Amino acid sequence: MTDQAAPAAAVLIIGDEILSGRTQDTNLNTIARFLASLGIDLLEARTVGDRQDQIIGALNALREAYDYVFTTGGIGPTHDDITADAVGAAFGVAVREHPEALAVLERRYPPGEFNAARRRMARIPEGGTLIANPVTDAPGFQIGNVFVMAGVPKIMEAMLQDVAPRLRTGAVVHARTIKIRGVGEGAIAEVLRAAADARRDLSFGSYPFGFGGAGEVGTHLVIRGRDEVEVDLAEHDLSQELRSMGIDIAVT
C-alpha cells in the first residue's frame, strides 16, 4: 500500500570485517537505492562489530526511532555469527530452530553434510518469520519492524525481493541534476541558497567533482522532491539563473 507520508528507515551493518577495513561494504548503497525506489526515506546508518552488546544497543535505538530497520551480516554458520542471538536478546525472546528453515536447509545439503554449524542457520528469534534466500537457501528473518539479512552482497540483494512486498511505501522522490562545468561551490552558493529558500519543500544539494586529480572540475547541483512538477520548475528556474550568470551547465 502506498502512503504519501514516507516511512522512515535505518540500516545496521554488522561485522568486524567492515570496521577493520578488510571488507568494503556495498550493502548500504544497495539498500538505499532499493528504499528510494519504494518511496521510503533512509535516514540513518550505523556500523557495529561482532559484539552482542553493541548490536543490541544500536538495534533497540534504531527500531524505536524508525518504521523499519534493515540489518546485514552475522547470520552464517560460524561462531562469530551472533546476529540472531543479539536480535533475540534485543526483543527479549528465545532463539530456536525454525521448522521451515530447518527443512529448507536439510534439503540443501547431501546426507551427512548438514552438520551442527550449518544447523545454526535455522535458528531465529521466536515470533520471527523467514526471509527467502534464493541464492544459498539459508534464510534471513523478520521480527517486528526489523529485517535481518545476510552480509554477502549477492545474497542480501536477493533477499530484498522477499522483503519488498512487506513494506509500506511512500511517494517516490524525484531528482534532477545540474552539472556546472569549471565552477566551484563557492561561486554559486548564494544562488543555491536563494533557490532553496524559495522552495522549502524541496531539497537542494551541492556536490563538487574533479578536485585532486586530472580531468574536468565542477559542481553537481541536485534537486530532490516528491512533487515532480515542482522539481522540474525548480530545475528550470535555477538553470535559467545560472545561465544568466554566464555559467555553462548541463541537466541530467
Side-chain angles (χ1 to χ4, degrees), residues 9 26 44 56 98 129 134 148 210 224 247 250:
T26 61
E44 186 173 352
I56 293 170
H98 190 286
T129 57
V148 178
R224 297 184 178 90
I247 295 174

Side-chain angles (χ1 to χ4, degrees), residues 78-97:
T78 59
H79 73 283
D80 58 343
D81 290 312
I82 62 170
T83 298
D85 292 293
V87 173
F91 277 84
V93 299
V95 178
R96 306 187 191 281
E97 289 183 345

